[in-house]
């Protein structure tokens, strides 16, 4: 195994890590604004993956063009979920919120299992067998497309929070909910919009992950756990931290899968998590409480 081989493995991990980062962005947004840990995050992503799968098999719409449709649908689901259900429990203790969202996750998983069955599904695109050659690098075309799209969605999310009136209002709710109410902001509605945005992010990530992995109902728990690892690495509530954490996890999985064994790649993600918690408990880009 020479330097070129490791360079190709590293680039593959980096591209995959950008998609992981987009998946974790939704989790980070929801926690950063509402201080709610969404234990149904991976389940919403699996719903998005199946939605993209159906759009491709039934209508011939590929995952990237289908991304706005799926993300928009997940926004509506997230908005209604927060407005109708989660908003009633915002003042409850953490373990009550945990049980609520865990119940939602179990319901979603079993509904998906009843509708689609336990078998893994995938899609085959012409791009799946193509690659780009950049000097010594050989990059899978679907990974490049997924990574570029993930970066574009993340940039749009950053611009939304930075430059739009609604984004500024959401940041005000995150900084001081009481003060936001005093100046007349509809905090409950903004919370619902925030949850919808988080669900839309994971919907977009689900479309892109369908290009890289097979989907099955029990995939949700794996990616919920992976999302938590990523946001804790980067810092809870930090958008840049979520992307950085995703890249680190993608790199660790790629390198450990080659150097040790693919079945042990999760062990290195947890090892990285423990190391960061020991050295910087608030996360790499997180702020001290």
């Amino acid at each position: 195994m020479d330097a070129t081989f490791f360079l190709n493995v590293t680039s593959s991990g980096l591209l995959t890590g950008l998609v992981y980062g987009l998946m974790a962005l939704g989790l980070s947004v929801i926690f950063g604004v509402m201080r709610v840990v969404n234990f149904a995050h991976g389940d919403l992503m699996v719903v998005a993956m199946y939605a993209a799968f159906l759009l491709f098999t039934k209508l011939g719409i590929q995952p990237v063009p289908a991304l706005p449709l799926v993300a928009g649908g997940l926004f509506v689901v997230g908005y209604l979920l927060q407005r109708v259900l989660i908003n009633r429990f915002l003042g409850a203790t953490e373990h009550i919120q945990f049980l609520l969202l865990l119940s939602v996750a179990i319901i979603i998983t079993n509904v998906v299992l009843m509708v689609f069955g336990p078998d893994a599904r995938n899609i085959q695109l012409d791009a799946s067998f193509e690659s780009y050659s950049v000097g010594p690098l050989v990059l899978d075309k679907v990974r490049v497309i997924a990574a570029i799209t993930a970066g574009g969605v993340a940039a749009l999310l950053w611009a939304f929070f930075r430059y739009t009136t609604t984004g500024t209002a959401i940041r005000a709710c995150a900084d001081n909910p009481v003060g936001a109410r005093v100046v007349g902001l509809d905090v409950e509605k903004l919370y619902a919009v925030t949850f919808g945005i988080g669900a839309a992010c994971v919907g977009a990530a689900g479309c892109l992950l369908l290009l890289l992995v097979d989907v099955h109902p029990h995939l949700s728990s794996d990616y919920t756990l992976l999302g938590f690892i990523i946001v804790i690495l980067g810092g809870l509530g930090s958008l840049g931290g979520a992307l950085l954490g995703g890249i680190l996890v993608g790199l660790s999985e790629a390198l450990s899968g080659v150097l040790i064994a693919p079945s042990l790649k999760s062990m290195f993600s947890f090892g990285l998590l423990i190391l960061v918690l020991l050295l910087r408990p608030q996360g790499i880009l997180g702020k001290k409480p």
Side-chain angles (χ1 to χ4, degrees), residues 9 25-26 35 67 89 107 152 173 181 210 220 223 238 272 277:
V9 171
L25 269 180
R35 295 300 186 268
L67 189 149
F89 294 85
I107 291 170
C173 291
R181 285 189 173 89
L210 187 63
S220 55
Y223 280 99
S238 171
L272 186 61
L277 287 176

Side-chain angles (χ1 to χ4, degrees), residues 6-288:
F6 280 106
L7 191 60
N8 278 283
V9 171
T10 301
S11 62
S12 177
L14 175 63
L15 296 175
T16 304
L18 284 171
V19 182
Y20 285 169
L22 177 61
M23 175 193 68
L25 269 180
L27 193 62
S28 189
V29 164
I30 292 170
F31 179 84
V33 176
M34 301 167 54
R35 295 300 186 268
V36 171
V37 180
N38 182 18
F39 286 94
H41 196 70
D43 301 86
L44 292 175
M45 193 196 70
V46 168
V47 170
M49 294 177 76
Y50 274 112
F53 173 79
L54 288 177
L55 287 172
F56 178 75
T57 55
K58 303 298 182 182
L59 300 178
I61 304 175
Q62 295 189 10
V64 173
L67 189 149
L69 296 174
V70 176
L74 264 291
F75 174 87
V76 173
V77 171
Y79 182 94
L80 293 176
L81 184 62
Q82 199 286 330
R83 195 74 167 171
V84 175
L85 182 62
I86 298 172
N87 188 55
R88 303 172 185 269
F89 294 85
L90 287 181
T93 57
E94 286 83 358
H95 71 277
I96 295 297
Q97 294 178 0
F98 164 75
L99 290 173
L100 171 69
L101 287 162
L102 184 61
S103 301
V104 171
I106 292 171
I107 291 170
I108 293 174
T109 296
N110 283 277
V111 169
V112 170
L113 188 61
M114 287 189 295
V115 173
F116 295 99
D119 297 332
R121 311 288 183 92
N122 59 27
I123 62 173
Q124 293 294 333
L125 303 176
D126 292 339
S128 301
F129 306 98
E130 299 175 4
S131 60
Y132 296 116
S133 295
V134 183
L137 296 179
V138 180
L139 306 174
D140 293 338
K141 187 174 181 178
V142 289
R143 292 186 189 276
V144 173
I145 292 171
I148 292 174
T149 306
V153 173
L156 288 175
L157 183 65
W158 177 84
F160 170 80
F161 282 115
R162 186 74 174 84
Y163 296 112
T164 67
T165 302
T166 303
T168 303
I170 290 174
R171 287 192 289 119
C173 291
D175 292 338
N176 190 341
V178 176
R181 285 189 173 89
V182 169
V183 299
L185 294 178
D186 188 343
V187 174
E188 283 71 26
K189 182 178 179 180
L190 290 170
Y191 279 170
V193 171
T194 300
F195 205 97
I197 291 171
C201 285
V202 80
C207 288
L208 300 178
L209 277 172
L210 187 63
L211 297 171
L212 309 179
V213 300
D214 297 347
V215 58
H216 57 85
H218 297 294
L219 192 67
S220 55
S221 58
D222 295 338
Y223 280 99
T224 296
L225 185 59
L226 187 64
F228 284 127
I229 292 173
I230 291 170
V231 296
I232 293 171
L233 281 175
L236 283 168
S238 171
L239 299 187
L243 287 176
L244 178 59
I247 290 171
L248 291 176
V249 169
L251 289 173
S252 69
E253 286 190 353
L255 292 174
S256 62
V258 170
L259 295 174
I260 311 297
S263 59
L264 297 178
K265 62 182 182 180
S266 296
M267 181 182 72
F268 285 84
S269 298
F270 281 106
L272 186 61
L273 173 63
I274 293 172
L275 181 63
V276 170
L277 287 176
L278 287 173
L279 300 178
R280 190 174 172 83
Q282 71 270 30
I284 297 173
L285 298 183
K287 298 179 181 180
K288 291 184 177 181

